[in-house]
Amino acid sequence: MAAGTIRYWAAAKAAAGVAEEPYAAENLAEALDAARERHPGELARVLQRCSFLVDGDPVGTRAHETVRLAEGGTVEVLPPFAGG
């Protein structure tokens, strides 16, 4: 099991109530499931609309169960942003 950091941005940060927190998971699906358990309610809805970066690489359409997490890694949770 790898340990690292999840960073929440914008609406995800508001829904989680924290800017970042640790993860302990083998893959992205496990890390997100644990985050949903820690922050029931709005975060689960926000995560459905988010994009994710794992150690700087976009996850895209890959199944979250297939995205391995590294020891000391970072997961960025990016909700859709308005403007631009």
Side-chain angles (χ1 to χ4, degrees), residues 30-74:
E30 289 178 9
L32 295 177
D33 286 345
R36 287 182 193 95
E37 287 179 20
R38 284 190 301 274
H39 309 286
E42 184 63 20
L43 183 61
R45 289 184 287 280
V46 171
L47 290 177
Q48 292 175 342
R49 302 184 313 268
C50 287
S51 299
F52 303 95
L53 298 177
V54 174
D55 297 330
D57 294 324
V59 171
T61 60
R62 289 183 286 162
H64 293 168
E65 296 82 9
T66 68
V67 179
R68 290 286 195 213
L69 300 179
E71 182 68 29
T74 302

Side-chain angles (χ1 to χ4, degrees), residues 4-8 19-23 31-32 35 38 74-75 77:
T5 302
I6 298 177
R7 292 187 184 143
Y8 300 103
E20 63 181 48
E21 63 187 352
Y23 70 72
L32 295 177
R38 284 190 301 274
T74 302
V75 174
V77 180

